[in-house]
Structures are given as C-alpha cells and as structure tokens.
C-alpha cells in the first residue's frame, strides 16, 4: 500500500510539473498582434533556443532579423530588431497559475519602455499590480529623481526642467521577479547629462505573488 501511495504521489507531482506553463509555451501561442512581423513558423524557430545554442536568429516578415538571446522556464529576452527589445516574464500567482509581464522597449532616439500584463491565454489584464503609471509624467519625474543633500532646491528644480519630455525605461533581469524603472534623458548634450544624472535615481519593485512591492 505504501508503494502504491508513493507512486500515486509521484504521478500527481509529475502531472503538475508537466502542466506548468513555460515561456516557450507562451512564445508558441503568442498572438500575431503582439509581434506582428514574426509569424508562427518563426516563433517555432525561436523556440529551438537551448543552452548549447546560445542565440537563435530568425528572418522576420519585414526582411530583417529577430534574435533570441535568453530563454528559461519563466523568462525570455528577444531583440525583435536593432531598435526593439522584448522581455517576456512569467510571474507566479499560485502553484498552478501565472500571469505574463511583457516589457517592450525601443532604444532610439532614447530608450523607452511599455509594460503590459496578460493571462496565459494572452488576454490583456487591465491592472498594473501596484507599479507606477509610466504615462503620468509628473508622477514619474517625482518617482525617479531625488535631490542630493549637497544640492540646493533651486539647482535641483533647474536640472529637473531639462528632463523634458519624461521618458521611462524598464528592465527585468534574468533570474528574478524584480522590475526596475529609470528615466531616459532626451535632447541634451553629454555635458548637461553629466549634471542631470546627479538627480536621477532608479526604482525597483519585486513581485510577491499578488502585486509589486517597493524594494
């Protein structure tokens, strides 16, 4: 009886493991509107990424190339073209439920990101899970700047005026459930940027299974 119980437990455990969704599963079922110029055959080629084959390059329907640089069970990073990067991150909600966090970033003229959430059927989730609203320029400027103790308030306000428009970039590193936001500073000289960066700060949020928390 003990042997039968052990076999039953192993079978249940194996079934649950097999049922766990992976990023490769999500890439295979991704609807065309998420990446309009990569079709299902090309997404299938991307899924051939392995540790031994550390990059996969496919020709997209725009006659350019898209590259997979990283794929794990819950994380993928794709360079869709020279100017666009896509991060796919599976976030656990429970033992059997996950949501997709999608970070799409353009690199030029300055790095800028859009963060979206989907369920594992690729239905949009209209919830930012406690992340700041990147569309609110004044709020993001307040979140991502800080006055050093050695700087006057007048100088601080002067430098903040150079951050126009307010452009936010985001990143999720491989191997973690943390998303980090920073400001990009467009339309300025290298010398002026060196002054502005004294007031720039990053802000990170960690997923706790229900929402993102400051960390």
């Amino acid at each position: 009886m003990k042997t039968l119980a052990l076999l039953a437990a192993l079978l249940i455990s194996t079934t649950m493991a097999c049922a766990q969704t992976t990023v490769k599963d999500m890439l295979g079922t991704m609807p065309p509107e998420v990446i309009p110029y990569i079709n299902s055959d090309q997404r299938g080629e991307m899924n051939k990424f392995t540790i031994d084959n550390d990059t996969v390059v496919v020709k997209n329907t725009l006659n350019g190339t898209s590259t997979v640089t990283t794929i794990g069970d819950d994380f993928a990073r794709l360079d869709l073209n020279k100017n666009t990067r896509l991060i796919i991150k599976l976030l656990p909600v429970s033992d059997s439920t996950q949501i997709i966090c999608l970070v799409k970033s353009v690199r030029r003229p300055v790095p800028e990101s859009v963060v979206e959430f989907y369920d594992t059927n690729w239905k949009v989730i209209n919830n930012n899970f406690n992340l700041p609203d990147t569309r609110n320029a004044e709020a993001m400027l307040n979140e991502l700047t800080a006055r050093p103790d050695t700087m006057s308030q007048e100088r601080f306000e002067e430098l903040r005026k150079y951050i126009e428009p307010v452009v936010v970039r985001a990143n999720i590193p491989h191997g973690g459930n943390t998303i980090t936001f920073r400001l990009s500073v467009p339309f300025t000289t290298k010398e002026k940027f060196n002054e502005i960066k004294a007031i720039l700060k990053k802000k990170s949020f960690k997923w706790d299974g229900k929402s993102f928390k400051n960390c």
Side-chain angles (χ1 to χ4, degrees):
M1 291 294 292
K2 289 183 178 180
T3 302
L4 289 174
L6 178 60
L7 287 173
L10 288 173
L11 179 60
I12 292 171
S13 176
T14 302
T15 301
M16 290 179 64
C18 290
Q20 188 75 7
T21 301
T22 68
V23 162
K24 284 191 175 185
D25 297 328
M26 293 298 90
L27 189 57
T29 60
M30 182 184 289
E33 56 266 26
V34 177
I35 314 177
Y37 46 89
I38 298 178
N39 61 35
S40 58
D41 290 339
Q42 292 159 345
R43 291 199 304 273
E45 286 295 311
M46 288 180 164
N47 266 335
K48 293 179 180 178
F49 182 98
T50 64
I51 293 175
D52 294 330
N53 183 15
D54 62 358
T55 58
V56 172
V57 180
V58 301
K59 188 173 182 179
N60 59 49
T61 58
L62 297 178
N63 292 319
T65 58
S66 298
T67 306
V68 181
T69 60
T70 307
I71 282 189
D73 287 340
D74 65 357
F75 179 91
R77 183 168 53 237
L78 291 71
D79 288 335
L80 301 180
N81 53 48
K82 291 181 179 179
N83 294 324
T84 309
R85 170 166 287 177
L86 183 72
I87 291 174
I88 308 171
K89 175 66 179 180
L90 281 171
L91 297 170
V93 177
S94 67
D95 289 342
S96 58
T97 306
Q98 299 155 292
I99 62 171
I100 304 164
C101 179
L102 209 66
V103 180
K104 191 172 185 179
S105 303
V106 295
R107 303 177 186 178
R108 296 178 184 176
V110 292
E112 182 173 12
S113 303
V114 174
V115 181
E116 299 173 336
F117 294 95
Y118 298 82
D119 66 20
T120 50
N121 292 314
W122 287 105
K123 182 179 178 180
V124 174
I125 301 174
N126 293 314
N127 189 334
N128 69 354
F129 297 99
N130 204 40
L131 290 180
D133 182 3
T134 57
R135 297 166 299 179
N136 187 328
E138 185 63 26
M140 294 311 299
L141 187 61
N142 291 335
E143 288 264 12
L144 299 175
T145 60
R147 182 179 65 85
D149 292 340
T150 56
M151 182 180 292
S152 69
Q153 184 66 33
E154 182 180 14
R155 178 59 172 162
F156 176 60
E157 295 298 337
E158 178 187 349
L159 290 175
R160 275 168 51 105
K161 291 178 182 178
Y162 286 99
I163 307 174
E164 176 64 37
V166 176
V167 179
V168 180
R169 67 186 192 272
N171 185 50
I172 300 176
H174 187 203
N177 289 344
T178 300
I179 184 168
T180 299
F181 294 92
R182 294 178 171 87
L183 286 177
S184 295
V185 182
F187 315 126
T188 190
T189 64
K190 182 178 180 180
E191 291 75 16
K192 182 57 66 176
F193 175 75
N194 286 335
E195 296 177 35
I196 296 170
K197 70 180 181 181
I199 69 170
L200 300 180
K201 71 174 185 177
K202 65 180 181 180
K203 195 156 189 180
S204 297
F205 300 83
K206 188 172 184 178
W207 179 254
D208 69 359
K210 294 180 180 180
S211 64
F212 286 94
K213 304 296 184 185
N214 282 310
C215 64

